[in-house]
Amino acid sequence: MASLAEVVATLEATGWAARILETIRADRRERPRFSASWVSASPPASARLVRAYEVAGSEVRLCRLPGGTESLYFVVPWEYAVPSEHIRLVHLARERLRAASPGPVRALRPDEVRDYVVDRGERLIARLAADHGIALGADRGDEVRTARRLAATLAAYTVGLGVLEIPLRDPNVQDVYVDAPAGRTPVYVTIADPGADLHQRCVTNVHLTAMDAEALVARLRLASGRPFSEATPVLETNLEEFRVRATAIGPPLSPDGLAVALRRHATDPWTLPRLVATRALSPFAAGLLSFLIDGRATILIAGARGAGKTSLLGALLFEFPLSQRILTIEDTRELPTADLQALGHKVQSLFVRSALGGHELSAEEALRASLRLGESALVLGEVRGQEARTLYEAMRAGTAGSSVLGTIHGNSARAAYERIVHDLGIPPASFAATDVIVVAGLARPGGVQRTLRRVVEVTDVAKSRGPDAFEPLLAYDAATAALQEAPGLAVSETIRRISDAWALTYDEALENIRVRAAIRATLAERSRHGGPEFASPSWVSRANAAYWSLVEAGRRGADLLDAWMSWFQGTSHG
């Protein structure tokens, strides 16, 4: 039998010793006493750093991994690297809070609990530091800052989401996934801006434990007020602090244990110019959609999950004039109602029971109530149940409001029709109340793993030829990766109806669309070159107000565009 020295010599000669050491280093995990989550201390030696930045004081490194179809989202939590005596303070403060009476906390709203813990924790940590002779800083200012930061860490690991708060506070992260079994699978994320050297899907260096997963689901259950058990193994709720939609599943649906998906709502609301700037939408398509909204068309936005249906729907809402009252019906708060209200829009939001249950009214009950709330544009977050029949009955009878918008699953106008008529049982004659179907899709140029959100179809419902007759207005051209004008644009029944109502010729209506397209292209172009605020809701609102003011003054066509450009030049440089 070979001696230990001979084994070591053989390993060194073949290079296996170095590989073993690298594996041990890469797999070395650490965690402070107050956290149950393990974080790998260093990335694999083969990982290549592409980008690094800070998120709330913690470091994030985006690394390319050799081969494969995913990258590495490597976090260095601030709280995992603080001095051991400070870790001890957070641990002691956590134990004190656990032992304290929870009475005062129960009296607070969920969004106030963190503030309560931070405030109490800051005083508690300062007292514990004095009692144990632990220095918090070189001077009083340092001591206050350190105590405040440690208290924030305490809150994150008691009433917050722990280490998951780093990716959830990262504006570049779209989704966070915790798959079962939590202790054996790393956390995964998808990022919005991978660039050329990274993949959208990333594995992280974070491993939650089963205890972490249980604590996370307990917080979701508290936030939602909904049951979660073997009898009801699915839970959905919103975490407003992080603008996240959370879905948790457990046994028996998930036999390996708890799993959670955290999908972020857009932090900055999407607008048509912003969609143009990211090339999800062509300028002409943006102009056409603005024209349709202004013309009070009924629009369905179809697409697969994750294709950007709700983002597009939210962008369309900023095209309504401030005088238009808007009613929104959602089972998850994803539409930018607060941003609309901040700009002066008249928005009434109705929150309804999700498909997974709850104590709220059903979507159908809320829809029936909305029909009695007066003339409004009606916006449904998703058309998927019995409310569809009520909606189409109201649309056909002319009592559904001045405009109706909604999203539905389907990857084409025909698929949307099949879903509504055959799956939801809406009579074909009632479906004819739909004017236009817009399809949002996921493009993968050349078959790459990275997906691009694109509007791939804008189709008119040609009602004169039957409820299932469609006339494409814009169609996606894979060669140019953009929407192109289709023959149906010259004969659209919806554009004809709007032009007649506005006393315009058809050509004048098309010219109006091109003016709107040029306006949105201008805002998008300025946003691309160092001025992202030009695609923001506030700028879109100002630009639309200027446009409508010029229309009221009698400006048309090229004269209208020239006058708007003159206004924009004077305002944007002011």
Side-chain angles (χ1 to χ4, degrees):
M1 182 180 292
S3 68
L4 178 61
E6 290 172 328
V7 172
V8 171
T10 302
L11 289 173
E12 288 178 343
T14 59
W16 275 101
R19 296 182 201 178
I20 291 171
L21 286 173
E22 178 185 337
T23 301
I24 293 172
R25 263 193 241 97
D27 198 46
R28 184 168 63 84
R29 299 174 188 172
E30 56 189 27
R31 65 178 177 87
R33 294 170 66 189
F34 54 78
S35 173
S37 304
W38 292 97
V39 172
S40 298
S42 58
S46 56
R48 179 169 64 84
L49 179 65
V50 175
R51 198 186 320 164
Y53 52 90
E54 277 198 4
V55 175
S58 296
E59 185 183 3
V60 171
R61 304 174 195 167
L62 298 180
C63 303
R64 186 178 181 96
L65 298 174
T69 57
E70 61 185 10
S71 299
L72 173 64
Y73 184 93
F74 188 88
V75 300
V76 184
W78 173 84
E79 59 270 19
Y80 277 50
V82 299
S84 58
E85 60 268 23
H86 291 176
I87 289 177
R88 183 184 176 204
L89 287 176
V90 176
H91 174 70
L92 290 173
R94 190 183 188 201
E95 294 304 309
R96 291 280 183 92
L97 280 179
R98 280 180 169 176
S101 169
V105 178
R106 287 176 181 164
L108 299 175
R109 297 194 313 268
D111 59 337
E112 295 176 323
V113 173
R114 183 185 290 260
D115 292 339
Y116 168 83
V117 172
V118 169
D119 180 64
R120 187 170 179 188
E122 188 175 342
R123 288 183 277 114
L124 190 56
I125 286 170
R127 191 182 315 127
L128 287 167
D131 293 345
H132 291 81
I134 298 174
L136 289 176
D139 54 38
R140 179 58 180 162
D142 272 351
E143 290 176 351
V144 171
R145 282 189 291 272
T146 301
R148 189 169 296 150
R149 194 159 191 183
L150 291 175
T153 298
L154 173 65
Y157 286 88
T158 51
V159 296
L161 304 181
V163 71
L164 289 185
E165 292 193 3
I166 298 173
L168 290 177
R169 295 190 189 282
D170 184 350
N172 194 34
V173 171
Q174 290 181 318
D175 309 305
V176 178
Y177 298 103
V178 180
D179 289 339
R184 282 184 279 161
T185 57
V187 175
Y188 294 88
V189 302
T190 59
I191 54 177
D193 179 26
D197 293 332
L198 294 167
H199 299 286
Q200 284 177 306
R201 295 179 176 87
C202 301
V203 62
T204 76
N205 61 320
V206 177
H207 282 75
L208 301 190
T209 62
M211 184 188 304
D212 277 323
E214 290 171 3
L216 175 58
V217 171
R219 292 183 183 102
L220 299 182
R221 190 166 54 230
L222 178 64
S224 68
R226 291 173 177 164
F228 184 74
S229 63
E230 288 193 4
T232 54
V234 182
L235 175 66
E236 271 192 335
T237 189
N238 280 341
L239 297 176
E240 296 296 342
E241 180 182 0
F242 302 101
R243 295 181 67 90
V244 158
R245 179 179 183 176
T247 303
I249 59 174
L253 180 63
S254 173
D256 293 323
L258 300 173
V260 181
L262 303 163
R263 302 179 61 203
R264 188 196 299 279
H265 310 322
T267 304
D268 299 318
W270 286 94
T271 62
L272 293 185
R274 189 177 167 204
L275 289 168
V276 171
T278 59
R279 295 181 173 82
L281 194 64
S282 68
F284 185 84
L288 174 59
L289 293 176
S290 173
F291 175 88
L292 294 172
I293 290 292
D294 203 359
R296 301 184 172 186
T298 295
I299 302 174
L300 279 180
I301 300 173
R305 185 177 298 278
K309 300 186 297 296
T310 303
S311 297
L312 177 57
L313 178 60
L316 293 181
L317 299 187
F318 292 105
E319 297 301 314
F320 281 117
L322 294 181
S323 59
Q324 174 65 67
R325 186 165 181 254
I326 304 171
L327 287 175
T328 65
I329 300 176
E330 302 177 88
D331 63 2
T332 56
R333 302 290 294 274
E334 296 183 81
L335 294 175
T337 53
D339 300 278
L340 287 159
Q341 290 167 342
L343 292 172
H345 286 270
K346 303 169 184 65
V347 185
Q348 173 60 57
S349 177
L350 303 179
F351 187 53
V352 301
R353 185 188 310 140
S354 78
L356 300 174
H359 302 295
E360 303 84 7
L361 291 180
S362 69
E364 182 190 7
E365 291 167 325
L367 178 57
R368 291 189 183 278
S370 73
L371 299 177
R372 299 191 293 271
L373 290 177
E375 193 280 330
S376 306
L378 189 57
V379 182
L380 275 75
E382 185 171 350
V383 179
R384 64 183 175 196
Q386 183 58 38
E387 74 276 6
R389 181 177 296 276
T390 303
L391 174 65
Y392 273 95
E393 286 174 357
M395 287 162 59
R396 211 175 164 203
T399 59
S402 55
S403 181
V404 177
L405 308 177
T407 70
I408 191 166
H409 286 287
N411 56 12
S412 67
R414 173 65 59 182
Y417 171 83
E418 297 288 341
R419 171 118 174 85
I420 289 172
V421 172
H422 298 300
D423 294 350
L424 301 181
I426 305 302
S430 295
F431 177 83
T434 308
D435 293 322
V436 171
I437 299 176
V438 181
V439 181
L442 295 170
R444 292 174 54 193
V448 298
Q449 288 298 308
R450 182 172 53 178
T451 56
L452 304 175
R453 290 183 173 89
R454 295 287 186 264
V455 172
V456 297
E457 182 183 340
V458 180
T459 295
D460 206 40
V461 178
K463 304 171 187 179
S464 64
R465 305 205 317 259
D468 60 344
F470 303 105
E471 192 69 65
L473 307 180
L474 303 175
Y476 188 74
D477 180 12
T480 61
L483 282 170
Q484 303 292 338
E485 296 181 17
L489 186 65
V491 293
S492 166
E493 294 181 18
T494 303
I495 294 176
R496 171 69 66 190
R497 177 182 61 75
I498 296 172
S499 64
D500 289 346
W502 291 358
L504 300 177
T505 67
Y506 198 92
D507 287 341
E508 287 173 334
L510 293 177
E511 187 177 33
N512 182 277
I513 292 170
R514 297 188 195 285
V515 168
R516 293 169 185 263
I519 289 172
R520 281 140 192 85
T522 300
L523 294 173
E525 189 65 20
R526 285 295 295 272
S527 75
R528 281 196 198 107
H529 295 90
E533 69 276 6
F534 287 101
S536 68
S538 60
W539 254 103
V540 168
S541 182
R542 294 171 67 187
N544 284 343
Y547 164 85
W548 282 312
S549 177
L550 291 169
V551 170
E552 292 293 331
R555 301 296 184 100
R556 299 288 186 274
D559 180 47
L560 170 60
L561 181 58
D562 289 343
W564 186 91
M565 288 293 185
S566 178
W567 167 86
F568 179 71
Q569 292 299 326
T571 307
S572 61
H573 291 101

